[in-house]
Amino acid sequence: MEPQDLTKVVLLACGSFNPITNMHLRMFELARDYLEDTGQYIVVRGIISAVGDGYKKKGLIEACHRVDMARLATDTSDWIKVDAWESQQPDWVETAKVMRHHYKELMTAEQNNDYVDTAKKRRIEATKHAFEDPSSYHTRRDNGPQLKLLCGADVLESFGVPNLWKHEDIAEIVGRYGLVCITRNGCDAHKFIHQSEVLWKHRKNIHVVREWVTNEISATHVRRALCRGQTVRYLLPDPVVSYIREHGLYSAESEQKNADVVLAPLQRHTGPSSS
Ligand SMILES: Nc1ncnc2c1ncn2[C@@H]1O[C@H](COP(=O)(O)OP(=O)(O)OP(=O)(O)O)[C@@H](O)[C@H]1O
Ligand SMILES: NC(=O)c1ccc[n+]([C@@H]2O[C@H](COP(=O)(O)O)[C@@H](O)[C@H]2O)c1
Ligand SMILES: [Zn+2]
């Protein structure tokens, strides 16, 4: 395939990043290698989107610190960037909505590209409008950039947790955009896809990427070590380790944040106005 025929992909990772770890960064590298190795895609950008404080997850420290740390961690990458839009929203935002926001941005940037001819600009405009209509999951895309959600297999398996995700949001994420899922110990992504009707239906839009160098770095482990005064060096980029030290982040006290609050998606999907 000629380079101009490859489909451009932007990878979007949504998560707490509390704090960002080397494994979060590695996820992007693994996904890019995998997609480009298919000979169909070229990965042009990676976006890290930290969840806002309204998510109310236990131990979630302020978004400004999580975003600053993610920025320090991606300083040395020429293709992974941090986007603060989601973290700045007053309330927690569903991941499908975050994807819509970034897809629109992507289409606008593509349209403003002077090298794109008028006919293509019109096609992009039409795609943008079609994507605003939630009933058109299967809008045909031209060969413009695609946005795919990048996540670990635990997030994929969380699709099965009652009241955590709306069915239509899952259908939109896998049907309209696509998913790149990195394997994680203790999770069986293939089995989960096999057992889910909606995921099976859109299986061609879900790429499961096997991490052979199994790596159990988790932000929970990092926070626990920090609370115990243990070193976390080489689990996180050095500038992030320094930032945590300088700002005195992560303590027994911060671990208690939101301890008695229900996670925002569970509140929203089980509340009186939930559908
Ligand atoms: N070791 C890992 N292997 C595969 N995916 C991972 C790994 N660590 C994090 N991820 C993925 O990174 C994204 C952001 O995750 P998150 O911020 O929850 O990190 P985490 O390390 O799982 O943190 P926590 O322990 O607080 O849940 C998610 O899609 C998650 O699945
Ligand atoms: N219904 C939804 O859209 C939904 C539900 C649960 C988590 N999420 C997202 O998944 C990510 C999960 O992050 P954690 O694994 O750190 O909890 C966050 O970005 C969160 O916003 C989305
Ligand atoms: Zn997690």
Side-chain angles (χ1 to χ4, degrees), residues 16 57 154-155 184:
S16 300
K57 189 168 174 173
D154 58 311
V155 170
R184 202 168 181 178

PDB file of all heavy atoms in Angstrom, residues 16 57 154-155 184, ligand 3:
ATOM      1  N   SER A  16      -7.681   7.743  34.667  1.00  0.00           N
ATOM      2  CA  SER A  16      -7.405   8.599  35.827  1.00  0.00           C
ATOM      3  C   SER A  16      -5.999   9.187  35.753  1.00  0.00           C
ATOM      4  O   SER A  16      -5.761  10.311  36.171  1.00  0.00           O
ATOM      5  CB  SER A  16      -7.529   7.783  37.114  1.00  0.00           C
ATOM      6  OG  SER A  16      -8.817   7.258  37.240  1.00  0.00           O
ATOM      7  N   LYS A  57     -13.437   9.123  41.882  1.00  0.00           N
ATOM      8  CA  LYS A  57     -12.842   7.823  42.214  1.00  0.00           C
ATOM      9  C   LYS A  57     -12.034   7.967  43.505  1.00  0.00           C
ATOM     10  O   LYS A  57     -11.402   9.008  43.741  1.00  0.00           O
ATOM     11  CB  LYS A  57     -11.928   7.373  41.067  1.00  0.00           C
ATOM     12  CG  LYS A  57     -11.430   5.946  41.212  1.00  0.00           C
ATOM     13  CD  LYS A  57     -10.776   5.464  39.928  1.00  0.00           C
ATOM     14  CE  LYS A  57     -10.161   4.089  40.121  1.00  0.00           C
ATOM     15  NZ  LYS A  57      -9.662   3.526  38.858  1.00  0.00           N
ATOM     16  N   ASP A 154      -8.649  -4.275  31.323  1.00  0.00           N
ATOM     17  CA  ASP A 154      -9.528  -4.104  32.493  1.00  0.00           C
ATOM     18  C   ASP A 154     -10.662  -3.133  32.172  1.00  0.00           C
ATOM     19  O   ASP A 154     -11.799  -3.321  32.627  1.00  0.00           O
ATOM     20  CB  ASP A 154      -8.730  -3.634  33.725  1.00  0.00           C
ATOM     21  CG  ASP A 154      -7.987  -2.329  33.470  1.00  0.00           C
ATOM     22  OD1 ASP A 154      -7.288  -2.219  32.439  1.00  0.00           O
ATOM     23  OD2 ASP A 154      -8.119  -1.405  34.297  1.00  0.00           O
ATOM     24  N   VAL A 155     -10.352  -2.106  31.368  1.00  0.00           N
ATOM     25  CA  VAL A 155     -11.410  -1.151  30.997  1.00  0.00           C
ATOM     26  C   VAL A 155     -12.426  -1.841  30.082  1.00  0.00           C
ATOM     27  O   VAL A 155     -13.631  -1.683  30.244  1.00  0.00           O
ATOM     28  CB  VAL A 155     -10.816   0.128  30.357  1.00  0.00           C
ATOM     29  CG1 VAL A 155     -11.905   1.003  29.759  1.00  0.00           C
ATOM     30  CG2 VAL A 155     -10.037   0.921  31.407  1.00  0.00           C
ATOM     31  N   ARG A 184      -3.884  -7.354  29.712  1.00  0.00           N
ATOM     32  CA  ARG A 184      -3.438  -7.071  31.081  1.00  0.00           C
ATOM     33  C   ARG A 184      -3.627  -8.348  31.894  1.00  0.00           C
ATOM     34  O   ARG A 184      -4.662  -9.022  31.735  1.00  0.00           O
ATOM     35  CB  ARG A 184      -4.288  -5.928  31.640  1.00  0.00           C
ATOM     36  CG  ARG A 184      -3.643  -5.192  32.762  1.00  0.00           C
ATOM     37  CD  ARG A 184      -4.343  -3.902  33.119  1.00  0.00           C
ATOM     38  NE  ARG A 184      -3.608  -3.287  34.207  1.00  0.00           N
ATOM     39  CZ  ARG A 184      -3.873  -2.139  34.768  1.00  0.00           C
ATOM     40  NH1 ARG A 184      -4.867  -1.427  34.343  1.00  0.00           N
ATOM     41  NH2 ARG A 184      -3.143  -1.684  35.768  1.00  0.00           N
TER      42      ARG A 184
HETATM   43 ZN    ZN B   3      -7.222   1.517  36.312  1.00  0.00          ZN
END
